[in-house]
Amino acid sequence: YWHVLTVRGRVERIMVVVHERGVPGGSKLFGTLRSFDQFTNLVLEDTVERVFVGSSYGERRRGLFVIRGENIVLLAQINAAVPEVDPSLEKIEWTDASRQFKAHCSAVARAAPNVGGCLLYTSPSPRDMRRSRMPSSA
């Protein structure tokens, strides 16, 4: 059975970090959660993609956005009482921020060529019958 839930009434702003090949840390999307299903596929409305570089950031509007659950690295609710972006950061054009971020990623890749990504470790689930999922404890 397929179950899809639509969020109504209370509107939740969330941040989603999506795995994207060649983008260390993934893409950061901010939007209003409208729907999700049992596979954690999400529908975001009024979505904005942001890239942070040093003391500045760039953003571009993405509108209605569908995210496959298998690509989600992190999902978090945004506190409405706190600004989404640190006010001390300077907002710059998306093209400039994107170019600076790509240059930074290239520099990191040259400095550590054998590092292909990072491992995201999560604590064991109560449903997990094993004590730990870390290879060192096997």
Side-chain angles (χ1 to χ4, degrees):
Y1 294 91
W2 291 79
H3 299 286
V4 176
L5 296 173
T6 302
V7 179
R8 294 184 186 179
R10 190 171 165 200
V11 176
E12 300 291 340
R13 290 283 292 172
I14 62 172
M15 179 192 72
V16 182
V17 177
V18 179
H19 172 73
E20 187 176 335
R21 191 173 184 81
V23 179
S27 297
K28 287 133 187 100
L29 302 169
F30 298 77
T32 304
L33 180 63
R34 284 297 173 205
S35 183
F36 63 94
D37 64 13
Q38 74 270 26
F39 302 110
T40 322
N41 297 317
L42 305 176
V43 176
L44 297 182
E45 187 176 57
D46 300 324
T47 307
V48 176
E49 181 178 4
R50 292 193 180 109
V51 62
F52 298 88
V53 183
S55 61
S56 59
Y57 74 99
E59 68 180 23
R60 67 176 167 174
R61 301 256 175 236
R62 301 301 295 259
L64 190 65
F65 210 81
V66 177
I67 304 169
R68 289 181 58 121
E70 63 190 26
N71 295 323
I72 295 174
V73 176
L74 178 81
L75 176 66
Q77 181 180 359
I78 296 174
N79 183 344
V82 177
E84 284 187 17
V85 178
D86 183 346
S88 68
L89 296 177
E90 176 190 3
K91 184 176 181 181
I92 61 176
E93 291 294 321
W94 171 261
T95 52
D96 295 334
S98 181
R99 187 178 62 252
Q100 289 177 24
F101 185 71
K102 287 177 184 174
H104 170 74
C105 292
S106 295
V108 169
R110 283 191 305 276
N114 296 328
V115 178
C118 68
L119 172 66
L120 177 66
Y121 174 71
T122 58
S123 60
S125 164
R127 298 182 306 264
D128 199 345
M129 300 305 289
R130 296 174 285 160
R131 292 187 63 144
S132 174
R133 291 184 263 176
M134 291 298 291
S136 61
S137 64

